[in-house]
Amino acid sequence: MAVVVGFIPTPVGFDALDTARTAAEERGGPLIVLNVVRQGDEQDPRHASEGDLDAAADRLRGSAVRVDIRQESSEDDIADVLLDTVEREKAELLVIGLRRERDVARHLLGVTPQKLLLSAPCDVLVV
């Protein structure tokens, strides 16, 4: 079954990528890596550059399952794009990284992780 990972080019994002790879290999894959670019907000540090996507591909080289790295540009909410991908791919698992650099993030979930946890039609693994 498919595993989808919401990828952002941060240390936590790369940790989520590694965790998703392991999960996809355990399940027989494929692994869908998705970075969402919000239209009109291209300077957001969560948006992966070409070099970031290449680094993700290098990190996943040699994976025992098919890997599909995607970058989608959307005006929609990031969570909605991830949820649409999970449904379209009939994913068994969604993996996301949770940023921990802010004090508030230690106590409360952000809007995107909360929406994913409450709305995903599959298991969600938070790294």
Side-chain angles (χ1 to χ4, degrees):
M1 294 291 284
V3 173
V4 173
V5 59
F7 174 67
I8 57 173
T10 65
V12 171
F14 280 99
D15 288 346
L17 193 65
D18 294 339
T19 300
R21 175 186 181 165
T22 300
E25 290 176 342
E26 289 171 355
R27 289 167 171 75
L31 173 59
I32 294 93
V33 179
L34 180 60
N35 177 254
V36 181
V37 176
R38 289 288 311 259
Q39 291 176 352
D41 195 13
E42 287 76 13
Q43 299 307 312
D44 188 323
R46 294 173 294 184
H47 299 165
S49 68
E50 194 70 33
D52 296 326
L53 296 174
D54 289 343
D58 288 344
R59 197 167 187 141
L60 296 171
R61 199 171 318 283
S63 179
V65 296
R66 179 177 60 84
V67 175
D68 183 7
I69 299 177
R70 304 174 187 172
Q71 187 172 54
E72 292 189 23
S73 180
S74 179
E75 292 180 354
D76 294 334
D77 181 68
I78 292 170
D80 289 335
V81 177
L82 284 164
L83 291 169
D84 288 346
T85 301
V86 164
E87 289 181 17
R88 189 171 49 254
E89 297 294 336
K90 297 177 177 53
E92 181 178 280
L93 181 67
L94 171 63
V95 180
I96 59 172
L98 186 62
R99 296 180 300 179
R100 294 180 273 273
E101 57 266 353
R102 289 187 244 153
D103 288 335
V104 175
R106 288 186 215 140
H107 303 290
L108 299 172
L109 287 175
V111 173
T112 299
Q114 184 177 20
K115 185 172 186 176
L116 292 169
L117 286 167
L118 296 173
S119 303
C122 64
D123 291 338
V124 179
L125 178 58
V126 179
V127 177

